[in-house]
Amino acid sequence: MSEPTAAVLRDLRAVDGALYAAVAATPTPTLDRTLRRLSRAADHSKISLTIAAALALGGGRRRRAAALGAGSLALASASANLLGKRLVRRPRPDREAARVTVDRRVPMPASAAFPSGHTASAVAFATAVGTVLPPAAVPLAALAGAIGYARVHTGVHYPGDVAAGAVLGVASAAVTLAVTARTRPGCAGRTP
């Protein structure tokens, strides 16, 4: 790795750590409980899969959106957890050193921190569903953003982990949408 590249990475890690510390140091007692619950509810993509199940009951375009959202979520989750975390192996933040209050905490995952799997999955789902059902795009994007922030707020991820998870989520949705557009009969040349 070249010296300029190493210097940029050091600076980015410093900014990432400073942002994490700023979130940890900001008292937010009214948000702590809600964000802790949101973070836990997003474990194993429970929120997204519940939304997918509700959409699938609507049939037609809603069912297609649910299937594409679930497929994108699966690709993002596998990419984050089976590849990203194993390749990068970034340690989880030190909540004790950052003084993250106990009221915010969720159990610290045993896996590596980078990228955030919760964020990757939520963003992938929101992107795919929002592409097929545009009225759902903004609410699902807001939910995905809240899930990503909740992971920093509860002390289990650095902001950079969440940003990387969001990029991975968008890429996973793009791949899923592109592959299904090519394989779906009668869809040659059309976007989903």
Side-chain angles (χ1 to χ4, degrees), residues 38 47 51 122 125-127 129-130 133-147:
L38 177 62
I47 295 171
I51 293 169
F125 181 79
T127 303
V129 172
L133 294 175
V138 171
L140 289 177
L143 177 61
I147 289 169

Side-chain angles (χ1 to χ4, degrees), residues 51-146:
I51 293 169
L55 286 172
L57 294 174
R61 193 169 176 173
R62 290 174 181 260
R63 181 172 291 154
R64 177 166 163 67
L68 290 169
S72 296
L73 181 158
L75 179 59
S77 180
S79 298
N81 295 305
L82 300 177
L83 293 175
K85 291 178 185 291
R86 292 180 181 188
L87 292 174
V88 178
R89 297 177 191 247
R90 183 180 195 188
R92 295 280 176 170
D94 184 348
R95 289 192 292 202
E96 299 297 326
R99 297 188 178 134
V100 174
T101 72
V102 174
D103 292 343
R104 291 184 180 186
R105 295 183 185 186
V106 296
M108 184 64 79
S111 63
F114 186 93
S116 168
H118 283 67
T119 305
S121 297
V123 168
F125 181 79
T127 303
V129 172
T131 300
V132 179
L133 294 175
V138 171
L140 289 177
L143 177 61

Side-chain angles (χ1 to χ4, degrees), residues 1-25:
M1 181 182 310
S2 70
E3 181 54 38
T5 301
V8 167
L9 289 175
R10 274 194 308 274
D11 287 353
L12 288 174
R13 278 193 296 272
V15 169
D16 206 20
L19 289 171
Y20 178 83
V23 169

